Amino acid sequence: MKNPGHSDTEGNKATARAAATSDTDSSDHVQLKVPLIQQSFHWDCGLACARMVLQYLNLLHENAFQNAMHELQLTKSIWTIDLAYLMHHFGVRHLFCTQTLGVDKGYKNQSFYRKHFDAEENRVNQLFVHAKSHGVNVEKRTVTIRELQEHLSQGHVAIVLVNAVLLLCDLCPRRVKYCCFLPIGQKCFCRSSDYQGHFIVLCGYNKSSGSLFYNNPGYADRLCRTSITNFEESRCSYGTDEDILFVYVNS
């Protein structure tokens, strides 16, 4: 469905392309100027990432975003396939790569998924079944670091599902204390959990240091950096399905 606030003009495309490049002069180092938007609740990290991406593409209009959420019936349980449908709604070229075309029944036994599993299983499975007919691009395959770097080097970005329990930022002074970064004072509900799903926006890399840059919606004031080794560990953790939503600047 066409985005109500999107004008498919060459002017807008040129603006988006210009905004896409930051420090991309060298193939060794890329750092894209993706705006930081902080999540408001413990459950809306995926929506905050979608807002970052849409603003990066000059397509974020809050009324249109709220209308899209209503039309797509998005609730407090946001899966990567929901974000793929959201990108399609706004006319954004995308590709969702995953290891599981649907819901892994094994997740029913995980504390992170248990609360909403029964209610969400059929809904999410139906989104996968109808994805192709709705223009949502999904592929079952593994994504390599080299592929991610090539994607970023062209000014594109990606939304990645990671295990927040494992993800470590080299630039942050200390490990994040809150699950999905709840406001200070609220109890962390996953300190003993082996999995805590969290969405981030991948926005750069440095080949020499073997690191990747990303926006963490838990913060509104910093760019995060992690080693490729740690990134791979957190994004390939059981529970993520290795979900990566590629987003392209030019529609």
Side-chain angles (χ1 to χ4, degrees):
M1 182 172 184
K2 190 175 181 181
N3 167 24
H6 172 47
S7 175
D8 191 25
T9 65
E10 289 303 314
N12 277 355
K13 290 183 178 180
T15 302
R17 283 194 290 271
T21 57
S22 171
D23 184 2
T24 57
D25 295 333
S26 169
S27 59
D28 181 73
H29 181 87
V30 170
Q31 189 173 323
L32 305 174
K33 291 181 179 178
V34 179
L36 275 162
I37 295 178
Q38 191 172 27
Q39 62 192 88
S40 301
F41 309 99
H42 73 274
W43 54 267
D44 68 334
C45 55
L47 295 177
C49 288
R51 282 186 166 93
M52 291 187 218
V53 168
L54 291 172
Q55 185 166 323
Y56 177 68
L57 300 175
N58 292 322
L59 295 176
L60 182 60
H61 307 283
E62 191 56 34
N63 287 339
F65 192 87
Q66 293 297 328
N67 289 338
M69 288 181 58
H70 177 75
E71 184 168 328
L72 296 174
Q73 299 180 16
L74 300 183
T75 62
K76 293 182 179 181
S77 180
I78 303 295
W79 295 60
T80 318
I81 188 68
D82 291 312
L83 301 181
Y85 272 80
L86 189 58
M87 290 300 111
H88 171 70
H89 179 94
F90 284 94
V92 175
R93 187 159 66 95
H94 64 277
L95 175 62
F96 171 27
C97 295
T98 181
Q99 289 295 309
T100 308
L101 297 176
V103 177
D104 184 335
K105 288 187 176 295
Y107 293 167
K108 187 173 185 177
N109 300 316
Q110 283 200 336
S111 59
F112 179 78
Y113 287 103
R114 189 178 300 132
K115 181 178 179 180
H116 299 288
F117 188 89
D118 291 334
E120 289 289 276
E121 182 181 16
N122 182 65
R123 182 188 75 84
V124 173
N125 283 337
Q126 287 301 306
L127 289 176
F128 275 94
V129 168
H130 298 294
K132 185 175 181 179
S133 63
H134 283 75
V136 176
N137 302 315
V138 181
E139 290 184 6
K140 181 182 179 181
R141 67 177 178 88
T142 297
V143 174
T144 66
I145 289 295
R146 183 174 181 178
E147 185 177 359
L148 283 169
Q149 291 173 332
E150 177 64 23
H151 182 75
L152 294 167
S153 71
Q154 297 176 47
H156 309 310
V157 294
I159 298 175
V160 184
L161 179 61
V162 298
N163 183 351
V165 175
L166 299 178
L167 187 65
L168 298 174
C169 174
D170 298 336
L171 302 177
C172 293
R174 60 185 180 274
R175 192 184 182 98
V176 175
K177 294 181 178 180
Y178 303 99
C179 303
C180 261
F181 318 103
L182 291 169
I184 293 174
Q186 292 191 28
K187 183 179 179 181
C188 174
F189 58 83
C190 76
R191 284 182 179 173
S192 61
S193 174
D194 59 351
Y195 176 76
Q196 175 68 28
H198 186 59
F199 289 104
I200 60 173
V201 178
L202 201 63
C203 56
Y205 63 83
N206 186 293
K207 289 184 178 180
S208 296
S209 62
S211 57
L212 295 166
F213 299 103
Y214 63 94
N215 282 3
N216 187 335
Y219 300 120
D221 61 350
R222 71 194 70 179
L223 176 72
C224 288
R225 182 185 69 195
T226 188
S227 68
I228 288 175
T229 300
N230 179 250
F231 175 75
E232 288 289 82
E233 180 184 16
S234 61
R235 83 169 181 98
C236 295
S237 173
Y238 182 68
T240 68
D241 290 321
E242 299 184 31
D243 285 2
I244 293 183
L245 179 59
F246 288 98
V247 179
Y248 300 86
V249 171
N250 52 325
S251 298

